[in-house]
Each structure stands twice: as structure tokens, then as C-alpha cells.
Amino acid sequence: MCKRSAGFLAILLAVGWAPAVRAQLQAPAPSPNATVSQTVGVTKVEVVYSRPHVKGPTRKEERVIWGKLVPYDQIWRTGANAVTKFTVDTDVTVEGEKLASGSYGLFTIPGKTEWTVILNKQATGSPADYEAEADVLRVKVKPEATEMHELFTIGFPQMTSNSAVMTLEWEKLSVPIHLAVDTKALFLANAKEAVARAKPDDWRTPLTAARYLYDNKYAPADAAVFLDKSLSVKETFANLSTKAGVLAGEGKKKEAVAAGQKALAMKDAEPKPSPEAVADLEKKLAEWKAAR
């Protein structure tokens, strides 16, 4: 190598370049890391954990999991390696108990017929540092028999717009944990904030807020304010047809017909509605006229 090339390489190393030189070799972990997340309504639930195997690091061991590898009636890290991290970005309930938004360590105390699920302030680090004084919540749950799971698995097999069942599954055991959120109240709070900061020409945001509230029969007064806000910004087929539907639901068929006809008159204006939306409104208009 010439002196010029050698000097250039020395400069690169000195300023921290050449990542291939500094990179550390990483071997596969016996219990691989995993992240699972689920949105429940408008709430994000995320769990970061490690997944031990029933057959151990060699994949050849015949290990007894419950009552031996994982002792009964003792604190378990609920996985392997570091603390299992459970995060929610809004307030939730866990088995009916309130839990504030944030990150927590997920620990458990397995039992033959009942488990204790623990959420602790220690969300990271070594499970050996666990302190009961830092527990935020403890609930009791019942384990259930399930099909074989070689890898420890945390998942969300059941959910609705305001609830979810999070399961801990390993070997032939499943531990369901019920989570719930007040999606309607959360959405209304988010909607008020979004509408307040919407641009002056934004008619879509208040319309989205109004439609959700009307569809879910929640906070009708707020829904009316949002819909009127959308209409005041710009009248479109979308918000006029929504207004027509609201009026019809209130029994105001004459006013509903007027709003519906006004919406149909804008079916070729931008943004153009889908043919299905136009056909649906035409059908409803015929029904409203017949009912007047």
C-alpha cells in the first residue's frame, strides 16, 4: 500500500468511519427477541419479550416447564433474558383494574390453578432487580389447556374495538389476560383536538369525527357540531348526504329529502362520490319521500 493510501485509511479510522471494522459479531440468541403489537380502537398495545423453547437451547432437551423449569408460586420474568416490556399509549383496564398509559415490566406468578399477573414500574433491565414495592397492578387469572407451543408466545387472538384478550402461551398452557379501553371517549377527545387544529379548508376531519360518533350513537351534540363545522367549510356530497341521514334518523323526513337532493346535485363535483354511494342515497331518498 502506498503512503498516500495508508494515510487516507488512517484518517477514516480516526473519524470513526469504516463500520465493518468496528462491527461486533452477533450470535443467534437461544431465546430470540420478539415484539408484538395490537391496536385496540385507538389504543396501541405493545409487548417486547424473549421466546424460550420447550426443548431448550439445544432443541433436544426434554424439559418439564410448569412446576419445574418455571416453578409454581414464584416470580417469573414471563419469557427469557431481560424484563418483558408491556406498553400502552392510553389508559386501559387489565382484568377490570385501571392502568395508566406507559411502559411496565410484565411479571407473573404461575400456579397450578391460578396465576398472578403483575405490572411493575421496572420496564427494562434484569428481572433479578424486581422489587414488589414497585408493583403497579396485580390481578388473578385462570390458565387454560391449549395445543402445543414449542416457543413461548404472546398474542392477541381475540379483540373488539374496545377490548382484547392477550394470551401467554407455552407448552400446552394458555393464560388469557383481558384488556379494555374506553374507545368512544378516547376518540371524542382525539376528535376535538384534531378538529381544533384542522386547517381552515379542511372539511374532511370534522366529517370523519361526526360520522364515527353518529355511527356509534355517542355524543350526538358533539357530532352535530362537527358536522356543521364540515358543512360550513365546504358543502360536498359526503357531508350533505351525512346530514340527510341524520335528519332522517331524527324523523325530519322533509328536511332529509331537501338535504339529500342537494347532495345528489353535487354528485359530479369534486370530490366525486362512488357510484355505490350515489345509488344508496337515491334509494334512501325514495324511502324518505314515501314516508313523508
Side-chain angles (χ1 to χ4, degrees), residues 79-150:
N81 304 326
V83 171
T84 292
K85 184 179 180 180
F86 174 88
T87 302
V88 287
D89 64 359
T90 73
D91 295 352
V92 301
T93 64
V94 180
E95 294 293 333
E97 298 293 326
K98 293 181 179 179
L99 180 72
S101 63
S103 293
Y104 304 89
L106 174 61
F107 298 86
T108 52
I109 302 177
K112 290 183 179 180
T113 60
E114 187 176 67
W115 282 42
T116 300
V117 176
I118 303 167
L119 290 166
N120 185 277
K121 291 179 182 178
Q122 182 195 352
T124 59
S126 170
D129 297 328
Y130 167 81
E131 294 182 352
E133 294 77 10
D135 287 351
V136 174
L137 178 149
R138 284 191 174 209
V139 295
K140 302 289 188 179
V141 296
K142 298 289 185 181
E144 302 172 352
T146 188
E147 68 274 9
M148 181 67 183
H149 285 74
E150 168 64 25

Side-chain angles (χ1 to χ4, degrees), residues 29-281:
S31 300
N33 296 330
T35 299
V36 59
S37 64
Q38 179 63 60
T39 300
V40 184
V42 295
T43 298
K44 182 181 179 181
V45 184
E46 181 179 85
V47 185
V48 180
Y49 69 112
S50 296
R51 307 184 68 190
H53 289 251
V54 170
K55 293 186 178 181
T58 66
R59 311 296 185 256
K60 296 179 181 180
E61 302 173 57
E62 295 297 331
R63 303 197 296 183
V64 177
I65 302 302
W66 308 117
K68 190 171 182 180
L69 179 67
V70 179
Y72 289 130
D73 305 320
Q74 294 182 29
I75 292 287
W76 180 41
R77 71 184 69 189
T78 317
N81 304 326
V83 171
T84 292
K85 184 179 180 180
F86 174 88
T87 302
V88 287
D89 64 359
T90 73
D91 295 352
V92 301
T93 64
V94 180
E95 294 293 333
E97 298 293 326
K98 293 181 179 179
L99 180 72
S101 63
S103 293
Y104 304 89
L106 174 61
F107 298 86
T108 52
I109 302 177
K112 290 183 179 180
T113 60
E114 187 176 67
W115 282 42
T116 300
V117 176
I118 303 167
L119 290 166
N120 185 277
K121 291 179 182 178
Q122 182 195 352
T124 59
S126 170
D129 297 328
Y130 167 81
E131 294 182 352
E133 294 77 10
D135 287 351
V136 174
L137 178 149
R138 284 191 174 209
V139 295
K140 302 289 188 179
V141 296
K142 298 289 185 181
E144 302 172 352
T146 188
E147 68 274 9
M148 181 67 183
H149 285 74
E150 168 64 25
L151 277 166
F152 176 62
T153 302
I154 298 178
F156 296 85
Q158 300 176 42
M159 63 167 296
T160 68
S161 62
N162 52 26
S163 67
V165 176
M166 182 177 75
T167 55
L168 316 177
E169 296 182 309
W170 199 21
E171 199 248 3
K172 295 183 179 181
L173 203 68
S174 177
V175 181
I177 304 167
H178 293 82
L179 312 176
V181 294
D182 190 348
T183 296
K184 290 180 179 177
L186 289 168
F187 177 84
L188 179 57
N190 292 345
K192 287 181 177 179
E193 183 179 346
V195 171
R197 66 169 186 262
K199 294 180 179 180
D201 61 347
D202 181 1
W203 57 270
R204 291 180 176 84
T205 296
L207 178 59
T208 298
R211 279 177 166 171
Y212 178 85
L213 296 176
Y214 280 128
D215 289 346
N216 288 274
K217 298 178 173 56
Y218 183 72
D222 291 293
V225 170
F226 293 147
L227 182 54
D228 287 344
K229 171 68 174 178
S230 176
L231 289 163
S232 69
V233 173
K234 179 181 179 180
E235 291 188 345
T236 67
F237 176 93
N239 54 28
L240 284 168
S241 59
T242 299
K243 182 68 172 181
V246 171
L247 291 168
E250 295 173 347
K252 301 174 181 178
K253 296 297 191 297
K254 182 178 179 180
E255 293 88 341
V257 169
Q261 289 175 331
K262 192 173 184 180
L264 281 179
M266 304 187 71
K267 66 181 182 179
D268 295 322
E270 294 294 340
K272 291 183 179 180
S274 68
E276 293 79 10
V278 173
D280 182 62
L281 180 57

